[in-house]
Amino acid sequence: MSIFGTELTRRKLLLLGALAYPGKVLMNWNSDRKASPSMNIDIYTHFFPPAYAREITRRATRTHPDVPNIEMLMRMFPNLCEFEMRLAHMDRYETSLQVLTPLPIPTDLFVSDSTAAAALAQVANDAMAEAIAKRQDRFAGVALLCFLDPAEAANELERAVTHLGFKGAMLFTNIAGKPLDMPGLFHVY
């Protein structure tokens, strides 16, 4: 392997493969062939439904440092909320399916009580389900839950999966500074 030097790069690996299996490489080499029929699935794509943004603006009792201005966020990153733009990007990059995930900010960071935070999560899930329903062949979703009230989080997860058709829920790295494996959350899982 001294002809390749000490560093093994992707290019060198491809060359090794071509040398080891020249028939396969040459047989499959066709610059005008169509893409394979496999599915390309993007499993972590944030989606910020406009209805959820409006509800945050209406109900928020505090701002989040990462999202001080909801309207500005939507203008800066229109692909977060504009469904047709998202579909155009998927077509351009040959993405078969996107699993939509909510904006990764817990709802309780926008409001101060668990009831309002749970209501925000429901609005986010309903709005995402409405968008997904337009193109179920191209989108799946995971729910946003408010874990401040674990019983309510379990109920919303049940509703999101059985009634809205979601595939699961998004988990954050902690729940208000507490670990995800605290016993109070077990019935959610």
Side-chain angles (χ1 to χ4, degrees), residues 26-184:
L26 293 174
M27 220 171 14
N28 291 330
W29 187 267
N30 183 355
S31 62
D32 62 342
R33 71 183 171 129
K34 295 212 182 257
S36 68
S38 64
M39 286 187 75
N40 295 319
I41 302 173
D42 190 350
I43 62 166
Y44 192 67
T45 56
H46 298 309
F47 184 58
F48 194 38
Y52 177 45
R54 285 189 298 274
E55 196 66 13
I56 289 172
T57 302
R58 192 175 76 75
R59 291 183 183 230
T61 57
R62 55 186 171 204
T63 60
H64 186 276
D66 293 339
V67 189
N69 185 321
I70 300 288
E71 292 81 16
M72 185 177 71
L73 175 76
M74 294 175 75
R75 281 192 309 272
M76 287 177 60
F77 303 102
N79 56 320
L80 282 176
C81 53
E82 291 182 15
F83 214 62
E84 294 306 317
M85 178 183 287
R86 184 175 292 267
L87 281 166
H89 286 166
M90 289 173 68
D91 291 340
R92 179 176 179 193
Y93 296 107
E94 298 179 1
T95 304
S96 309
L97 178 77
Q98 279 190 349
V99 179
L100 300 180
T101 57
L103 202 61
I105 299 173
T107 57
D108 58 282
L109 296 180
F110 292 112
V111 292
S112 53
D113 69 282
S114 63
T115 304
L120 270 179
Q122 286 181 350
V123 169
N125 294 335
D126 289 342
M128 193 173 331
E130 184 180 321
I132 290 169
K134 295 174 188 172
R135 290 299 306 266
Q136 291 180 345
D137 60 321
R138 303 292 301 273
F139 297 102
V142 295
L144 177 62
L145 303 177
C146 174
F147 286 96
L148 292 181
D149 179 352
E152 179 57 38
N155 291 339
E156 181 59 12
L157 176 59
E158 178 76 22
R159 183 183 85 87
V161 170
T162 58
H163 298 295
L164 301 179
F166 286 6
K167 306 304 178 194
M170 184 170 78
L171 295 177
F172 298 103
T173 57
N174 66 75
I175 309 299
K178 298 176 185 158
L180 296 175
D181 63 352
M182 64 182 177

